[in-house]
Amino acid sequence: MSAINDVAVITRRQLLLLSRVPEVLIFSTIQPVMFVLLFRYVFGGSIDTGQPGGYVQLLMPGIFVQTVAFTLAGTASGLAEDMKKGLIDRFRSLPISQSALVIGRTLGDSLLNIVVLAVMGIAGYVVGWRPSSGIGSIALGFIFLLCFGYALSWVGVLVGLSASDARVVQNVSFIVTFPLTFLSNAFAPTTGMPRALQYFAEWNPVSTMVAACRELFGLENQFGATAGSFPSENPLITSLIYMLIIMAIFIPLSLRKYRNYAD
């Protein structure tokens, strides 16, 4: 019970930082809204998706997944800043659970996504996004998004603890997230890619997560080279499997890295 209380305290600290440094929340919401507007009005007219309602219906699930994927970068850079300021050493001197800091940070960063996704949903609705499924499916889609962001935040913990400078951490985080998001089905159908690239793009965890959201939001998925495969036929299950694999790998690695740093 003590460990749970310690995690709750650290999570509360993360949320209090948003009120004391509101710029974090402001810029966390501005960037994805800018992506929505740019892709909707700059690229939307040149991409034929075949979806009822036009490009914005295809776009929004991709933007949602991209946004929660960048939780990795936020967690990594925030943890690197804490290390640089010596906060990790201060927490080591307190009688709290060793793993409370990293668990509380991942939970706090994931809770931030609730606000960001809500703002993005409103922005999407303003520019014409209209999911055709029921409220239960839409809610499940957002729960999946939050879980996906939480899983990737553990990758961010490992990255943040492995680099000594926040600028290096930021660059490494973007090197990881950009190929995953842009070599995917997030912004355009993968059927226009070279066939060899389609295999990576369609088995990509981001792609299966986007496909899962589109399915939950009442849209049809388009697959090319992997049409009829397990991920294309079962994107929800595949996304869940990917999340469990990511957490099974990176939670133990991150906790071990943190304990080694603390020793």
Side-chain angles (χ1 to χ4, degrees):
M1 188 61 70
S2 176
I4 295 175
N5 291 335
D6 293 340
V7 171
V9 168
I10 300 298
T11 303
R12 182 172 177 271
R13 168 188 175 265
Q14 288 299 111
L15 297 178
L16 286 175
L17 284 175
L18 298 179
S19 62
R20 294 171 182 171
V21 190
E23 293 86 353
V24 174
L25 181 59
I26 293 171
F27 287 104
S28 294
T29 53
I30 286 177
Q31 180 177 326
V33 170
M34 286 177 59
F35 271 110
V36 170
L37 297 176
L38 286 172
F39 278 92
R40 170 70 176 89
Y41 294 110
V42 176
F43 301 109
S46 60
I47 300 177
D48 182 17
T49 65
Q51 296 280 3
Y55 178 66
V56 69
Q57 310 305 324
L58 179 97
L59 171 68
M60 289 308 298
I63 292 287
F64 285 140
V65 175
Q66 182 200 47
T67 300
V68 297
F70 280 113
T71 305
L72 185 159
T75 301
S77 59
L79 196 56
E81 282 291 336
D82 283 350
M83 292 171 61
K84 184 177 180 180
K85 294 176 181 177
L87 288 176
I88 300 276
D89 293 328
R90 295 179 193 175
F91 279 114
R92 284 173 56 191
S93 65
L94 298 176
I96 62 173
S97 170
Q98 276 197 339
S99 57
L101 176 63
V102 288
I103 296 175
R105 172 167 285 279
T106 57
L107 288 174
D109 290 343
S110 298
L111 290 174
L112 171 62
N113 282 332
I114 296 176
V115 179
V116 176
L117 290 174
V119 173
M120 287 182 59
I122 294 171
Y125 189 85
V126 169
V127 299
W129 176 58
R130 300 292 186 273
S132 59
S133 58
I135 189 67
S137 294
I138 296 172
L140 182 59
F142 281 104
I143 291 172
F144 258 73
L145 286 166
L146 293 173
C147 292
F148 188 63
Y150 180 74
L152 289 180
S153 70
W154 282 102
V155 183
V157 170
L158 186 62
V159 172
L161 290 173
S162 300
S164 57
D165 190 275
R167 291 169 296 181
V168 175
V169 168
Q170 194 76 12
N171 290 333
V172 172
S173 301
F174 278 99
I175 288 173
V176 173
T177 52
F178 259 84
L180 288 176
T181 53
F182 284 95
L183 291 179
S184 71
N185 61 359
F187 307 114
T190 57
T191 51
M193 298 180 181
R195 186 171 179 83
L197 191 58
Q198 288 182 36
Y199 286 99
F200 174 82
E202 294 175 0
W203 280 82
N204 178 346
V206 169
S207 289
T208 60
M209 189 65 218
V210 172
C213 288
R214 286 181 181 144
E215 185 176 288
L216 289 169
F217 296 156
L219 299 174
E220 287 188 11
N221 282 302
Q222 299 178 25
F223 287 89
T226 65
S229 65
F230 185 84
S232 65
E233 296 292 329
N234 305 277
L236 285 169
I237 297 175
T238 306
S239 297
L240 183 58
I241 292 172
Y242 273 136
M243 285 187 276
L244 292 174
I245 290 174
I246 291 170
M247 288 190 288
I249 293 173
F250 285 96
I251 288 178
L253 288 176
S254 298
L255 293 178
R256 183 183 305 168
K257 185 74 175 179
Y258 176 72
R259 292 190 184 105
N260 290 340
Y261 174 84
D263 287 341

